[in-house]
mmCIF file of all heavy atoms in Angstrom:
data_model
loop_
_atom_site.group_PDB
_atom_site.id
_atom_site.type_symbol
_atom_site.label_atom_id
_atom_site.label_comp_id
_atom_site.label_asym_id
_atom_site.label_seq_id
_atom_site.Cartn_x
_atom_site.Cartn_y
_atom_site.Cartn_z
ATOM 1 N N VAL X 24 116.779 124.416 79.820
ATOM 2 C CA VAL X 24 115.797 124.985 80.778
ATOM 3 C C VAL X 24 116.517 125.460 82.026
ATOM 4 O O VAL X 24 116.233 126.501 82.577
ATOM 5 C CB VAL X 24 114.765 123.907 81.122
ATOM 6 C CG1 VAL X 24 113.888 124.375 82.290
ATOM 7 C CG2 VAL X 24 113.930 123.551 79.946
ATOM 8 N N SER X 25 117.496 124.689 82.457
ATOM 9 C CA SER X 25 118.269 125.031 83.660
ATOM 10 C C SER X 25 119.079 126.286 83.386
ATOM 11 O O SER X 25 119.194 127.156 84.233
ATOM 12 C CB SER X 25 119.075 123.824 84.093
ATOM 13 O OG SER X 25 120.093 124.205 84.900
ATOM 14 N N PHE X 26 119.702 126.334 82.229
ATOM 15 C CA PHE X 26 120.543 127.442 81.865
ATOM 16 C C PHE X 26 119.769 128.742 81.792
ATOM 17 O O PHE X 26 120.226 129.803 82.170
ATOM 18 C CB PHE X 26 121.233 127.163 80.514
ATOM 19 C CG PHE X 26 121.892 128.360 79.892
ATOM 20 C CD1 PHE X 26 123.046 128.903 80.433
ATOM 21 C CD2 PHE X 26 121.344 128.977 78.762
ATOM 22 C CE1 PHE X 26 123.651 130.012 79.869
ATOM 23 C CE2 PHE X 26 121.938 130.068 78.201
ATOM 24 C CZ PHE X 26 123.109 130.610 78.718
ATOM 25 N N GLU X 27 118.534 128.677 81.345
ATOM 26 C CA GLU X 27 117.702 129.863 81.191
ATOM 27 C C GLU X 27 117.557 130.580 82.539
ATOM 28 O O GLU X 27 117.447 131.788 82.597
ATOM 29 C CB GLU X 27 116.304 129.444 80.695
ATOM 30 C CG GLU X 27 115.467 130.626 80.213
ATOM 31 C CD GLU X 27 114.058 130.179 79.858
ATOM 32 O OE1 GLU X 27 113.670 129.040 80.239
ATOM 33 O OE2 GLU X 27 113.366 130.938 79.203
ATOM 34 N N ARG X 28 117.540 129.780 83.663
ATOM 35 C CA ARG X 28 117.452 130.403 84.943
ATOM 36 C C ARG X 28 118.756 131.010 85.378
ATOM 37 O O ARG X 28 118.759 131.892 86.238
ATOM 38 C CB ARG X 28 117.057 129.354 85.988
ATOM 39 C CG ARG X 28 115.625 129.025 85.855
ATOM 40 C CD ARG X 28 115.423 127.541 86.123
ATOM 41 N NE ARG X 28 113.949 127.378 86.131
ATOM 42 C CZ ARG X 28 113.276 127.243 87.240
ATOM 43 N NH1 ARG X 28 113.879 127.238 88.390
ATOM 44 N NH2 ARG X 28 111.975 127.150 87.165
ATOM 45 N N ASN X 29 119.838 130.482 84.889
ATOM 46 C CA ASN X 29 121.166 131.009 85.245
ATOM 47 C C ASN X 29 121.928 131.361 83.991
ATOM 48 O O ASN X 29 122.870 130.653 83.609
ATOM 49 C CB ASN X 29 121.984 129.973 85.990
ATOM 50 C CG ASN X 29 121.418 129.681 87.325
ATOM 51 O OD1 ASN X 29 120.902 130.549 87.997
ATOM 52 N ND2 ASN X 29 121.540 128.434 87.761
ATOM 53 N N PRO X 30 121.556 132.438 83.319
ATOM 54 C CA PRO X 30 122.185 132.755 82.024
ATOM 55 C C PRO X 30 123.664 133.078 82.114
ATOM 56 O O PRO X 30 124.343 133.151 81.110
ATOM 57 C CB PRO X 30 121.377 133.999 81.539
ATOM 58 C CG PRO X 30 120.213 134.098 82.451
ATOM 59 C CD PRO X 30 120.566 133.428 83.709
ATOM 60 N N SER X 31 124.163 133.233 83.311
ATOM 61 C CA SER X 31 125.594 133.545 83.433
ATOM 62 C C SER X 31 126.423 132.296 83.563
ATOM 63 O O SER X 31 127.646 132.359 83.674
ATOM 64 C CB SER X 31 125.802 134.490 84.626
ATOM 65 O OG SER X 31 125.227 133.921 85.765
ATOM 66 N N ASP X 32 125.771 131.145 83.593
ATOM 67 C CA ASP X 32 126.509 129.892 83.790
ATOM 68 C C ASP X 32 127.183 129.487 82.485
ATOM 69 O O ASP X 32 126.595 128.782 81.665
ATOM 70 C CB ASP X 32 125.491 128.820 84.241
ATOM 71 C CG ASP X 32 126.223 127.515 84.650
ATOM 72 O OD1 ASP X 32 127.416 127.405 84.374
ATOM 73 O OD2 ASP X 32 125.524 126.640 85.184
ATOM 74 N N LYS X 33 128.433 129.882 82.358
ATOM 75 C CA LYS X 33 129.145 129.615 81.067
ATOM 76 C C LYS X 33 129.434 128.145 80.901
ATOM 77 O O LYS X 33 129.423 127.633 79.764
ATOM 78 C CB LYS X 33 130.475 130.400 81.077
ATOM 79 C CG LYS X 33 130.262 131.892 81.095
ATOM 80 C CD LYS X 33 131.064 132.600 79.990
ATOM 81 C CE LYS X 33 130.689 134.045 79.835
ATOM 82 N NZ LYS X 33 129.343 134.230 79.364
ATOM 83 N N VAL X 34 129.669 127.476 81.983
ATOM 84 C CA VAL X 34 129.999 126.047 81.898
ATOM 85 C C VAL X 34 128.819 125.278 81.313
ATOM 86 O O VAL X 34 128.949 124.445 80.430
ATOM 87 C CB VAL X 34 130.372 125.471 83.261
ATOM 88 C CG1 VAL X 34 130.553 123.978 83.217
ATOM 89 C CG2 VAL X 34 131.618 126.161 83.798
ATOM 90 N N ALA X 35 127.607 125.596 81.785
ATOM 91 C CA ALA X 35 126.415 124.916 81.302
ATOM 92 C C ALA X 35 126.246 125.215 79.805
ATOM 93 O O ALA X 35 125.963 124.320 78.998
ATOM 94 C CB ALA X 35 125.203 125.391 82.058
ATOM 95 N N LEU X 36 126.427 126.444 79.447
ATOM 96 C CA LEU X 36 126.253 126.844 78.038
ATOM 97 C C LEU X 36 127.266 126.125 77.152
ATOM 98 O O LEU X 36 126.901 125.655 76.062
ATOM 99 C CB LEU X 36 126.416 128.351 77.919
ATOM 100 C CG LEU X 36 126.218 128.968 76.511
ATOM 101 C CD1 LEU X 36 124.857 128.486 75.966
ATOM 102 C CD2 LEU X 36 126.333 130.445 76.532
ATOM 103 N N ASP X 37 128.462 126.032 77.626
ATOM 104 C CA ASP X 37 129.497 125.287 76.837
ATOM 105 C C ASP X 37 129.042 123.869 76.628
ATOM 106 O O ASP X 37 129.179 123.309 75.520
ATOM 107 C CB ASP X 37 130.804 125.294 77.627
ATOM 108 C CG ASP X 37 131.641 126.498 77.315
ATOM 109 O OD1 ASP X 37 131.288 127.224 76.354
ATOM 110 O OD2 ASP X 37 132.629 126.765 78.046
ATOM 111 N N LYS X 38 128.545 123.254 77.690
ATOM 112 C CA LYS X 38 128.110 121.893 77.617
ATOM 113 C C LYS X 38 127.027 121.733 76.568
ATOM 114 O O LYS X 38 127.066 120.817 75.731
ATOM 115 C CB LYS X 38 127.624 121.466 78.966
ATOM 116 C CG LYS X 38 127.217 119.975 79.058
ATOM 117 C CD LYS X 38 126.976 119.587 80.514
ATOM 118 C CE LYS X 38 126.489 118.096 80.579
ATOM 119 N NZ LYS X 38 126.004 117.750 81.846
ATOM 120 N N ILE X 39 126.059 122.645 76.626
ATOM 121 C CA ILE X 39 124.955 122.574 75.664
ATOM 122 C C ILE X 39 125.480 122.693 74.208
ATOM 123 O O ILE X 39 125.122 121.976 73.309
ATOM 124 C CB ILE X 39 123.913 123.648 75.952
ATOM 125 C CG1 ILE X 39 123.336 123.508 77.344
ATOM 126 C CG2 ILE X 39 122.799 123.586 74.931
ATOM 127 C CD1 ILE X 39 122.461 124.639 77.785
ATOM 128 N N PHE X 40 126.331 123.659 74.105
ATOM 129 C CA PHE X 40 126.891 123.954 72.757
ATOM 130 C C PHE X 40 127.586 122.702 72.226
ATOM 131 O O PHE X 40 127.415 122.299 71.058
ATOM 132 C CB PHE X 40 127.869 125.111 72.812
ATOM 133 C CG PHE X 40 128.381 125.514 71.487
ATOM 134 C CD1 PHE X 40 127.713 126.473 70.677
ATOM 135 C CD2 PHE X 40 129.511 124.920 70.934
ATOM 136 C CE1 PHE X 40 128.210 126.792 69.438
ATOM 137 C CE2 PHE X 40 130.003 125.247 69.664
ATOM 138 C CZ PHE X 40 129.334 126.205 68.922
ATOM 139 N N ARG X 41 128.406 122.094 73.085
ATOM 140 C CA ARG X 41 129.146 120.918 72.665
ATOM 141 C C ARG X 41 128.235 119.785 72.254
ATOM 142 O O ARG X 41 128.464 119.102 71.245
ATOM 143 C CB ARG X 41 130.052 120.423 73.805
ATOM 144 C CG ARG X 41 131.445 120.975 73.805
ATOM 145 C CD ARG X 41 132.378 120.037 74.490
ATOM 146 N NE ARG X 41 131.943 119.704 75.827
ATOM 147 C CZ ARG X 41 132.146 120.461 76.910
ATOM 148 N NH1 ARG X 41 132.874 121.576 76.755
ATOM 149 N NH2 ARG X 41 131.677 120.088 78.081
ATOM 150 N N LEU X 42 127.161 119.599 73.026
ATOM 151 C CA LEU X 42 126.222 118.518 72.697
ATOM 152 C C LEU X 42 125.585 118.742 71.356
ATOM 153 O O LEU X 42 125.555 117.832 70.504
ATOM 154 C CB LEU X 42 125.122 118.465 73.759
ATOM 155 C CG LEU X 42 125.476 117.839 75.130
ATOM 156 C CD1 LEU X 42 124.408 118.191 76.142
ATOM 157 C CD2 LEU X 42 125.662 116.356 74.986
ATOM 158 N N VAL X 43 125.147 119.958 71.105
ATOM 159 C CA VAL X 43 124.518 120.239 69.851
ATOM 160 C C VAL X 43 125.517 120.113 68.685
ATOM 161 O O VAL X 43 125.213 119.640 67.627
ATOM 162 C CB VAL X 43 123.857 121.653 69.880
ATOM 163 C CG1 VAL X 43 123.330 122.025 68.513
ATOM 164 C CG2 VAL X 43 122.771 121.705 70.913
ATOM 165 N N HIS X 44 126.687 120.579 68.993
ATOM 166 C CA HIS X 44 127.756 120.498 67.980
ATOM 167 C C HIS X 44 128.039 119.039 67.603
ATOM 168 O O HIS X 44 128.178 118.705 66.402
ATOM 169 C CB HIS X 44 129.001 121.170 68.528
ATOM 170 C CG HIS X 44 130.157 121.217 67.551
ATOM 171 N ND1 HIS X 44 130.237 122.192 66.582
ATOM 172 C CD2 HIS X 44 131.195 120.401 67.354
ATOM 173 C CE1 HIS X 44 131.350 121.969 65.857
ATOM 174 N NE2 HIS X 44 131.951 120.876 66.314
ATOM 175 N N THR X 45 128.085 118.169 68.595
ATOM 176 C CA THR X 45 128.293 116.751 68.332
ATOM 177 C C THR X 45 127.198 116.187 67.466
ATOM 178 O O THR X 45 127.446 115.446 66.503
ATOM 179 C CB THR X 45 128.328 115.951 69.668
ATOM 180 O OG1 THR X 45 129.250 116.584 70.538
ATOM 181 C CG2 THR X 45 128.701 114.503 69.424
ATOM 182 N N VAL X 46 125.971 116.520 67.822
ATOM 183 C CA VAL X 46 124.845 116.035 67.037
ATOM 184 C C VAL X 46 124.950 116.472 65.630
ATOM 185 O O VAL X 46 124.800 115.697 64.679
ATOM 186 C CB VAL X 46 123.512 116.535 67.674
ATOM 187 C CG1 VAL X 46 122.329 116.208 66.727
ATOM 188 C CG2 VAL X 46 123.247 115.933 69.024
ATOM 189 N N LYS X 47 125.274 117.743 65.442
ATOM 190 C CA LYS X 47 125.417 118.295 64.038
ATOM 191 C C LYS X 47 126.443 117.504 63.289
ATOM 192 O O LYS X 47 126.236 117.128 62.111
ATOM 193 C CB LYS X 47 125.788 119.765 64.108
ATOM 194 C CG LYS X 47 125.796 120.409 62.691
ATOM 195 C CD LYS X 47 126.352 121.793 62.680
ATOM 196 C CE LYS X 47 127.886 121.763 62.579
ATOM 197 N NZ LYS X 47 128.436 123.108 62.361
ATOM 198 N N GLY X 48 127.596 117.290 63.951
ATOM 199 C CA GLY X 48 128.679 116.573 63.277
ATOM 200 C C GLY X 48 128.239 115.160 62.797
ATOM 201 O O GLY X 48 128.468 114.775 61.669
ATOM 202 N N THR X 49 127.620 114.438 63.713
ATOM 203 C CA THR X 49 127.214 113.081 63.333
ATOM 204 C C THR X 49 126.186 113.080 62.263
ATOM 205 O O THR X 49 126.202 112.202 61.387
ATOM 206 C CB THR X 49 126.629 112.375 64.610
ATOM 207 O OG1 THR X 49 127.145 112.957 65.761
ATOM 208 C CG2 THR X 49 126.941 110.908 64.574
ATOM 209 N N CYS X 50 125.253 114.049 62.310
ATOM 210 C CA CYS X 50 124.263 114.116 61.244
ATOM 211 C C CYS X 50 124.927 114.317 59.909
ATOM 212 O O CYS X 50 124.534 113.663 58.910
ATOM 213 C CB CYS X 50 123.303 115.272 61.532
ATOM 214 S SG CYS X 50 122.249 115.027 62.953
ATOM 215 N N GLY X 51 125.884 115.187 59.903
ATOM 216 C CA GLY X 51 126.581 115.448 58.649
ATOM 217 C C GLY X 51 127.286 114.193 58.129
ATOM 218 O O GLY X 51 127.219 113.814 56.993
ATOM 219 N N PHE X 52 127.922 113.522 59.092
ATOM 220 C CA PHE X 52 128.687 112.316 58.780
ATOM 221 C C PHE X 52 127.793 111.230 58.169
ATOM 222 O O PHE X 52 128.173 110.500 57.238
ATOM 223 C CB PHE X 52 129.325 111.796 60.038
ATOM 224 C CG PHE X 52 130.051 110.507 59.891
ATOM 225 C CD1 PHE X 52 131.194 110.420 59.126
ATOM 226 C CD2 PHE X 52 129.619 109.377 60.541
ATOM 227 C CE1 PHE X 52 131.870 109.211 58.973
ATOM 228 C CE2 PHE X 52 130.272 108.154 60.402
ATOM 229 C CZ PHE X 52 131.402 108.081 59.599
ATOM 230 N N LEU X 53 126.542 111.145 58.689
ATOM 231 C CA LEU X 53 125.628 110.146 58.200
ATOM 232 C C LEU X 53 124.769 110.667 57.040
ATOM 233 O O LEU X 53 123.807 110.033 56.624
ATOM 234 C CB LEU X 53 124.709 109.656 59.333
ATOM 235 C CG LEU X 53 125.425 108.829 60.420
ATOM 236 C CD1 LEU X 53 124.476 108.552 61.581
ATOM 237 C CD2 LEU X 53 125.928 107.524 59.839
ATOM 238 N N ASN X 54 125.102 111.862 56.584
ATOM 239 C CA ASN X 54 124.378 112.446 55.467
ATOM 240 C C ASN X 54 122.896 112.643 55.775
ATOM 241 O O ASN X 54 122.025 112.436 54.882
ATOM 242 C CB ASN X 54 124.581 111.564 54.211
ATOM 243 C CG ASN X 54 124.541 112.410 52.968
ATOM 244 O OD1 ASN X 54 124.945 113.582 52.997
ATOM 245 N ND2 ASN X 54 124.062 111.880 51.882
ATOM 246 N N LEU X 55 122.593 113.009 56.974
ATOM 247 C CA LEU X 55 121.222 113.337 57.327
ATOM 248 C C LEU X 55 121.049 114.824 57.214
ATOM 249 O O LEU X 55 121.233 115.584 58.182
ATOM 250 C CB LEU X 55 120.910 112.817 58.751
ATOM 251 C CG LEU X 55 121.091 111.328 58.930
ATOM 252 C CD1 LEU X 55 121.149 110.953 60.420
ATOM 253 C CD2 LEU X 55 119.996 110.567 58.215
ATOM 254 N N LEU X 56 120.649 115.271 56.013
ATOM 255 C CA LEU X 56 120.765 116.692 55.723
ATOM 256 C C LEU X 56 119.723 117.550 56.441
ATOM 257 O O LEU X 56 120.063 118.639 56.905
ATOM 258 C CB LEU X 56 120.636 116.869 54.175
ATOM 259 C CG LEU X 56 121.711 116.132 53.384
ATOM 260 C CD1 LEU X 56 121.448 116.225 51.911
ATOM 261 C CD2 LEU X 56 123.087 116.742 53.711
ATOM 262 N N ARG X 57 118.562 117.002 56.550
ATOM 263 C CA ARG X 57 117.526 117.844 57.197
ATOM 264 C C ARG X 57 117.922 118.089 58.628
ATOM 265 O O ARG X 57 117.829 119.229 59.136
ATOM 266 C CB ARG X 57 116.210 117.110 57.105
ATOM 267 C CG ARG X 57 115.038 117.985 57.573
ATOM 268 C CD ARG X 57 113.702 117.269 57.468
ATOM 269 N NE ARG X 57 112.711 118.018 58.255
ATOM 270 C CZ ARG X 57 111.525 117.557 58.635
ATOM 271 N NH1 ARG X 57 111.171 116.350 58.284
ATOM 272 N NH2 ARG X 57 110.719 118.281 59.346
ATOM 273 N N LEU X 58 118.317 117.027 59.306
ATOM 274 C CA LEU X 58 118.753 117.150 60.708
ATOM 275 C C LEU X 58 119.927 118.102 60.826
ATOM 276 O O LEU X 58 119.969 118.932 61.711
ATOM 277 C CB LEU X 58 119.133 115.770 61.271
ATOM 278 C CG LEU X 58 117.941 114.852 61.595
ATOM 279 C CD1 LEU X 58 118.443 113.445 61.882
ATOM 280 C CD2 LEU X 58 117.216 115.354 62.808
#
Side-chain angles (χ1 to χ4, degrees):
Chain X
V24 171
S25 160
F26 167 72
E27 193 186 15
R28 283 145 174 258
N29 291 325
S31 53
D32 186 351
K33 296 230 170 295
V34 174
L36 183 54
D37 273 347
K38 184 171 176 191
I39 301 172
F40 185 91
R41 267 206 306 277
L42 284 166
V43 174
H44 184 83
T45 307
V46 171
K47 185 188 86 170
T49 336
C50 291
F52 175 66
L53 290 174
N54 211 31
L55 300 165
L56 300 173
R57 187 179 166 197
L58 284 168

